[in-house]
Amino acid sequence: MDAQLKRGLLDVCVLATIKNEDSYGYKIIKDIKPYIEMSESTLYTILKRLENANMLTVRTAEHDGRLRKYYHITKAGLGRIEDFKDEWKEVMSIYQFVNKEKGDE
């Protein structure tokens, strides 16, 4: 898969994971795992990129005596998910065209 395309897909998957509630790294990986394999290093690179793009914010809170970073989606992050949904319609149209067999109408 094209690296840029995959990067965009992974970004949207991470945003979708925290769309309904704030979350932290280990839980994000656990929630994504049924759909995509993602290493911790990949996740934290994505989280930093999304934070720098103002698509999420980060807060630190204590949990069981340890500090944990919680990620919260912003309006820009929610907008990116909606943009992705619109873009995906076009991607699916291209996919159908590419898979069209001679004689298909």
Side-chain angles (χ1 to χ4, degrees):
M1 178 181 286
D2 177 71
Q4 284 296 104
L5 176 60
K6 187 172 184 177
R7 177 179 161 185
L9 292 172
L10 292 176
D11 287 2
V12 172
C13 288
V14 170
L15 290 170
T17 303
I18 63 172
K19 173 176 67 173
N20 296 320
E21 66 178 337
D22 294 358
S23 194
Y24 55 95
Y26 177 76
K27 185 169 184 327
I28 293 170
I29 288 177
K30 186 176 148 194
D31 291 344
I32 285 179
K33 191 172 186 168
Y35 308 98
I36 298 170
E37 280 294 321
M38 184 181 299
S39 69
E40 285 185 40
S41 61
T42 298
L43 173 65
Y44 288 107
T45 299
I46 291 168
L47 290 169
K48 192 63 176 168
R49 180 171 56 245
L50 293 172
E51 181 183 8
N52 289 338
N54 298 313
M55 291 189 200
L56 58 81
T57 58
V58 182
R59 69 178 169 83
T60 303
E62 189 172 328
H63 178 79
D64 291 336
R66 297 181 57 187
L67 291 179
R68 178 183 281 172
K69 287 185 176 183
Y70 287 87
Y71 299 90
H72 175 80
I73 195 166
T74 64
K75 283 185 179 183
L78 291 169
R80 177 63 194 112
I81 291 172
E82 292 307 311
D83 290 346
F84 170 80
K85 289 177 185 178
D86 291 338
E87 293 164 2
W88 197 252
K89 292 173 190 171
E90 185 177 354
V91 169
M92 289 307 299
S93 179
I94 293 167
Y95 176 82
Q96 289 171 351
F97 172 75
V98 168
N99 280 323
K100 188 168 80 171
E101 296 292 328
K102 186 175 181 173
D104 287 350
E105 296 300 321

